[in-house]
């Protein structure tokens, strides 16, 4: 009744076409739940048709026409096999006839249903009349008792120990079951000898007061004797022999067991809703018809229980197979005017139920197939011109035939009940969910419902599933789960405005409100990526690798937003943006990237990126890291915006306090299907950035692409630093962070850091100015830049570099641009201030004098933190390179020093990490003005030159990893 109330509310909330319960569940809970529960309900209905047909065959052979049996048993042990064969043959014939009737048309089923209903009503009325008649004249229905024990009358003919024939006393067949001979002086069973044989009335009548005995429960265990509590007996035995003709219970009984046995009799409440497509007004017919049907049948069932308990002896009620009454039907004996009323009514009841199942199941399958949520079933959505589901009926008949050939469905029947219960449970869940979400579209005409009633119905369905048979309940749920996952994986995506989507929206809204209080704790920090794609790039190659990298970083289970900027006007470029967004979505699906996509149209790319960084996300679900690719061939590009937009991205990300990840040499990065079987991920930890450099390789190692790569951490020390102690402190720090990595401290001398060449920087600056003044072709520009690079390297060698690692190419002649007299380059550490003073003599002027220039570079040391490694010392020259706000444009000599440091550091990195699968480096900040932008790009090129895969990382300044649990 609770399920019917929920179903009535759903059915009156809009038009219900074919599909009935499936349509209601799928439109309320989504295609996955609807398809899984709908298919299980279809299988349950189809096998139920087979069960009803087998029941009709059993009634016909056993009670209506035993002579119609084709197979007869010669031996008693063959009776069961012969009965199964008869049921298979006649069941197939019945199924063929009934399927033909359904195929002809549903109107003929309705005509037969009216006839069957009259027979069923007549049989029910005959029971009530028979009950009343028992008050006046109870029927003769004897039961033989030994003491208080019930005897099986199939094993004897006389209900007595002896009979008198003439003047002789002769023992009966019953005597021979308990005694060792037929003689009167034989040794007999003590209980048999001590108790008398009596015969009681099996149906004493409604006025007998037997209801007082039957009122309370008398549950028993399996293989116990069926005894009459009103009768007394003398003597007991420790062990009762099974060879004695007693009646034993076949199963243990309890409230839960009996609920499971009774429940299949009320599983037909969906019969009307399954034919919703054939109803003239489903919104009106389903609530009234279903609730009235349940009220009627519940009245009949409950009144029958009470009346049987008031008329029939307890031992007869417990006799499952009727062995105490020679196999006669108790209900048929009770009915008036003849037992045939019950036999015929039962036969037509089972046939009618089978017809209803064969009518509703194909329509249910057709509705599922038409929705195309399961591609394999698409063919079953077709039918005749009038909509009759021909192909679905054929499949239903084949499945029902399988059940009939099994013949014994005792093991399958419990699963069918589970399928029905799951359907009822989800109908209740759908109504409760829609009511609690208070969606504007939830306006059912049926007003007598409440979410608490639906929740109670759902809970009771789930409880009855496990009460009846917990293992069958698990099997049914597993089958439904497999179908659910299949639909989720292969099924077509449907947007039906279902309640699950509404639940997701409500849950997301609630979670966002809960998360808006402040930034997440360090322990909850995870990379929430804003991946920026270039619309003019080949998305299937380089940008696809960028998405693969984003996917490999998703071990943190953070947010991913893939975005791009199209230059132009939104009014004119909206269509192009929509098409490009679909292209990105397809690429994300191909790379298995779970996230969101956004394309904006802006007058300039820089402004569009700024808008994305500012506005992407909502509340706490906002990106905290920007992932971009290094500008490809930026030196050869004729348009300086190629790399200027990149620098603007760095500035915007820094201003928004977002971390920045720059992937260099994207084409070399692994794809989704690649696997590294060995190698290392090298981290060059120069500046503490909140621990992001430590966290990123750990996240990469969680992905199958990088899983077998080991992590190495390199840090730099000066001569006066205690390298051994630094390594120990760093090892302790990593131990507390629960990160496994090899540690190496690289020593760099002050002289090494400062003794670099001035020529490369000078050539770079001169070439930059020349390129601004000259309009060179693309090929000429490449040649000019190559010539500058080669000349710079030759100059480096001639300045007395003693390290073989610095010899990057064979010596060549010094270009004219290198003819500059550099007398001295000296780095002087200022012990009085945290800055560094650089003293550099420039070439002599026309008067023959030289002028020294001193440069004071500020550096702010990060405040100590419990999560930072103790004793962390970084050489001053390196610190200034990775300053959060470097002043690239201040002096040319500053460019010289930074370029020298980059060349030397690149040499050290190549010596240690040239064969590493990935190198992670701290990324310096971008210049604050446009003056030093090209020099900044050159510096980063020099820093990463010769490395195969590089990930430049710039932290946001906040801690992202902690030693605490």
């Amino acid at each position: 009744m609770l399920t019917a109330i929920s179903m009535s509310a759903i059915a009156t909330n809009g038009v219900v076409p074919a599909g009935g319960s499936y349509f209601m569940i799928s439109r309320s809970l989504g295609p996955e739940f609807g398809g899984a529960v709908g298919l299980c309900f279809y299988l349950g209905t189809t096998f139920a048709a087979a069960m009803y047909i087998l029941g009709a065959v059993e009634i016909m052979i056993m009670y209506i026409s035993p002579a119609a049996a084709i197979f007869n048993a010669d031996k008693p042990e063959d009776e069961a096999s012969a009965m199964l064969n008869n049921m298979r043959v006649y069941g197939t014939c019945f199924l063929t006839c009934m399927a033909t009737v359904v195929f002809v048309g549903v109107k003929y089923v309705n005509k037969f249903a009216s006839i069957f209903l009259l027979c069923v009503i007549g049989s029910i009325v005959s029971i009530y009349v028979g009950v009343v008649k028992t008050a006046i004249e109870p029927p003769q229905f004897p039961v033989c008792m030994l003491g208080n024990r019930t005897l099986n009358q199939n094993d004897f003919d006389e209900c007595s120990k002896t009979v008198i024939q003439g003047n002789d006393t002769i023992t009966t067949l019953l005597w021979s079951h308990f005694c060792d001979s037929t003689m009167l002086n034989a040794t007999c069973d003590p209980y048999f000898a001590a108790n008398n044989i009596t015969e009681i009335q099996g149906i004493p009548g409604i006025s007998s007061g037997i209801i007082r005995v039957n009122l309370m429960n008398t549950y028993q265990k399996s293989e116990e004797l069926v005894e009459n509590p009103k009768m007394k007996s003398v003597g007991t035995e420790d062990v009762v022999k099974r060879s004695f003709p007693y009646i034993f219970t076949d199963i243990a009984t309890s409230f839960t067991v009996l609920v499971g046995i009774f429940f299949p009799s009320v599983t037909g409440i969906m019969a009307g809703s399954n034919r919703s497509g054939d109803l003239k007004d489903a919104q009106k017919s389903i609530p009234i018809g279903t609730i009235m049907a349940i009220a009627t049948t519940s009245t009949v069932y409950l009144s029958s229980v009470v009346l049987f308990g008031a008329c029939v002896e307890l031992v007869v009620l417990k006799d499952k197979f009727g062995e105490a009454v020679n196999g006669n039907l108790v209900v048929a004996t009770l009915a008036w005017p003849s037992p045939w009323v019950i036999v015929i009514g039962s036969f037509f009841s089972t046939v009618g139920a089978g017809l209803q199942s064969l009518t509703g199941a194909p329509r249910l399958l057709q509705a599922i197939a038409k929705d195309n949520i399961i591609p394999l079933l698409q063919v079953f959505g077709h039918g005749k011109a009038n909509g009759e589901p021909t192909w679905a009926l054929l499949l239903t008949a084949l499945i029902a035939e399988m059940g009939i050939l099994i013949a014994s469905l005792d093991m399958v029947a419990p699963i069918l009940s589970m399928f029905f219960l799951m359907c009822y449970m989800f109908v209740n869940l759908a109504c409760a969910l829609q009511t609690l979400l208070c969606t504007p579209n939830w306006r059912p005409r049926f007003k007598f419902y409440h979410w608490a009633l639906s929740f109670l119905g759902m809970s009771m369905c789930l409880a009855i599933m496990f009460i009846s048979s917990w293992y069958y309940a698990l099997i049914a749920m597993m089958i439904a789960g497999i179908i659910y996952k299949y639909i989720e994986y292969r099924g077509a995506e449907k947007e039906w405005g279902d309640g699950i989507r509404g639940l997701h929206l409500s849950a997301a809204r609630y979670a966002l409100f809960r998360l808006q209080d402040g930034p997440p704790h360090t322990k909850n920090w995870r990379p929430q990526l804003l991946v920026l794609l270039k619309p003019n790039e080949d998305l299937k190659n380089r940008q696809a690798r960028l998405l693969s990298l984003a996917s490999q970083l998703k071990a943190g289970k953070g947010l991913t937003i893939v975005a791009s900027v199209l230059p132009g006007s939104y009014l004119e470029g909206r269509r192009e943006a929509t098409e490009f967004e679909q292209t990105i979505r397809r690429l994300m699906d191909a790379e298995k990237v779970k996230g969101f996509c956004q394309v904006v149209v802006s007058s300039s790319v820089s402004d569009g990126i700024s808008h994305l960084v500012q506005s992407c996300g909502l509340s706490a679900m906002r990106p905290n890291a920007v992932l971009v690719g290094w500008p490809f061939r930026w030196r050869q590009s004729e348009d300086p915006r190629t790399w200027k937009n990149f620098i603007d991205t760095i500035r915007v990300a820094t201003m928004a306090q977002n971390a920045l990840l720059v992937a260099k040499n994207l084409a070399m990065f692994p794809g989704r299907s690649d696997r590294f079987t060995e190698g290392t991920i090298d981290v060059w930890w120069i500046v503490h950035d909140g621990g992001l450099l430590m966290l990123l390789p750990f996240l990469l190692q969680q992905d199958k692409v990088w899983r077998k790569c080991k992590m190495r951490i390199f840090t730099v020390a000066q001569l006066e630093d205690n390298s051994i102690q630094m390594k120990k402190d760093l090892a302790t720090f990593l131990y507390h962070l629960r990160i496994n990595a090899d540690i190496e401290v690289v020593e760099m001398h002050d002289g090494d850091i400062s003794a670099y060449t001035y020529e490369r920087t000078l050539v770079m600056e001169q070439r930059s100015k020349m390129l601004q003044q000259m309009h060179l072709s693309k090929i000429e520009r490449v040649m000019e830049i190559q010539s500058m690079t080669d000349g710079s390297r030759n100059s480096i060698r001639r300045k007395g570099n003693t390290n073989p690692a610095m010899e990057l190419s064979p010596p060549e002649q010094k270009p004219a641009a290198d003819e500059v007299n550099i007398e001295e380059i000296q780095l002087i550490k200022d012990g009085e201030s945290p800055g560094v003073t650089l003293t550099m003599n420039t070439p002599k002027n026309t008067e023959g004098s030289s002028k020294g220039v001193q440069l004071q570079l500020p550096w702010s040391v990060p405040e100590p933190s419990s999560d930072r490694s103790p004793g962390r010392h970084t050489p001053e020259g390196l610190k200034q390179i990775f300053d959060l706000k470097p002043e690239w444009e201040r002096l040319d000599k500053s460019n010289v020093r930074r370029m020298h440091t980059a060349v030397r550091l690149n040499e050290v990195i190549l010596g240690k990490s040239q064969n590493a699968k990935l190198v992670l480096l701290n990324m310096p900040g971008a210049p604050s003005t446009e003056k030093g932008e090209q020099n900044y790009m050159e510096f980063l090129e020099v820093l990463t030159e010769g490395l195969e895969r590089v990930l430049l990382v710039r932290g946001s300044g906040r801690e992202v990893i902690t030693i605490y649990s």
Side-chain angles (χ1 to χ4, degrees), residues 566-577 601-604:
L566 293 179
S569 170
Y570 178 72
L571 297 178
E572 299 175 356
R574 180 181 179 277
R575 182 175 180 180
E576 182 184 356
V601 181
S602 177
S603 57
S604 69

Side-chain angles (χ1 to χ4, degrees), residues 218-244:
T218 54
Y219 301 136
Q220 290 186 266
K221 297 180 181 179
S222 179
E223 301 297 326
E224 285 189 355
L225 290 167
V226 176
E227 298 177 334
N228 191 332
K230 296 192 303 179
M231 302 178 66
K232 296 181 180 180
S233 62
V234 180
T236 58
E237 296 179 11
D238 295 335
V239 179
V240 179
K241 296 180 181 179
R242 287 287 301 179
S243 60
F244 292 163

